[in-house]
Structures are given as C-alpha cells and as structure tokens.
Amino acid sequence: MKKRKFFFILPMVGVLIISLVLSLKAGTDGEKELTNNVENACSKRGSIYGTVVYFQSCYMSYMQAAQVQLKGKKTGVKDEVNTDRNGRFKFDDLKEDTYKLTVEKKNFKNSRATVKLKSGRAKFAEIEIEKK
C-alpha cells in the first residue's frame, strides 16, 4: 500500500513543477509586454504651458486674450495661441528644442521668453507684459 501512495504522489509533484515553470514563464512574457506598453505610452513629446501677467500699481493681474507665439530654434515649429481669461496658455506635442515665446497685446509692449524643453517633459513659463 505504501508503494502505491508513492506512485500517486510523484506524478502529482511532477505536474505541480511543470505548471509552476509554465506560469513563471508566462509571467515573464507578461512583464515584457507590460514594459513595452509602458515605454510606448511614455511620449517623447513635451509641452510648454504658463501664464501671462502684468503689474498695475501694487497688484498683479492675469492678461486675458494676449497672443502667445512659439518658435522652435532647431525644429522650426511655429504655433500661436491666445491666453484664456486667467492668462493661461499651453502648447502640446513639442519635440526637444529651445523655444522662443513672444507675447503680443494691443497697447502693451511685446514680451519674450526662452524655454529649453527636454524630451517628454513639461515646462512652465510666467511671462510679464508691460503697458506702453
């Protein structure tokens, strides 16, 4: 009787070992797939966002409807947006480069800023504009 129990246990141990090896191999492949998906999801593109402000007497205000122009030094990318009612602007889907921002608004002096953008990053810029 004892020999029969042994014969029953050995095949079960073999099945458990094989199933363990197969599940570990499947987990490794799953990890590779997950890593590839994460790398693909991480964009190499970046964004520049910020606010346009102006100072009157002793307080700061956000500049609504100012035109913000963007130009890439190496890429030659050009774009423009208007600030929202809170003086905010945003440029998305930008490659790594040095960008020049120019802000224009009627009755105000043009203002400029330079932003160095690294791959996949976002940069904030606060640009001050003054009355003429």
Side-chain angles (χ1 to χ4, degrees):
M1 284 282 241
K2 286 185 180 181
K3 286 186 177 181
R4 286 189 172 186
K5 286 183 182 177
F6 246 165
F7 284 116
F8 180 73
I9 291 173
L10 286 176
M12 290 303 289
V13 170
V15 169
L16 288 173
I17 290 173
I18 291 171
S19 64
L20 179 63
V21 168
L22 290 175
S23 67
L24 288 175
K25 185 176 187 303
T28 305
D29 291 341
E31 288 171 8
K32 286 180 186 176
E33 185 178 326
L34 178 63
T35 302
N36 290 337
N37 288 341
V38 168
E39 287 174 1
N40 292 336
C42 292
S43 176
K44 301 286 185 197
R45 303 288 181 129
S47 61
I48 297 174
Y49 66 101
T51 55
V52 177
V53 298
Y54 72 100
F55 290 90
Q56 287 185 335
S57 302
C58 59
Y59 68 90
M60 177 190 78
S61 294
Y62 295 105
M63 179 60 66
Q64 179 179 350
Q67 185 181 57
V68 184
Q69 299 170 349
L70 170 127
K71 184 175 182 188
K73 186 175 182 178
K74 294 178 188 174
T75 60
V77 170
K78 291 182 180 181
D79 199 0
E80 61 183 52
V81 296
N82 289 326
T83 57
D84 66 11
R85 65 185 188 139
N86 295 315
R88 295 181 297 213
F89 65 89
K90 186 173 183 180
F91 296 99
D92 284 321
D93 201 30
L94 301 172
K95 291 182 179 178
E96 182 173 338
D97 198 355
T98 299
Y99 292 93
K100 290 196 183 235
L101 300 172
T102 305
V103 179
E104 297 178 357
K105 174 86 175 175
K106 188 176 180 178
N107 298 324
F108 287 84
K109 296 177 187 176
N110 290 354
S111 189
R112 291 174 174 59
T114 302
V115 176
K116 279 188 166 185
L117 186 65
K118 293 185 179 182
S119 181
R121 298 290 179 99
K123 279 286 212 163
F124 176 81
E126 183 175 84
I127 304 170
E128 183 181 340
I129 195 167
E130 298 177 5
K131 281 206 174 231
K132 285 187 180 181

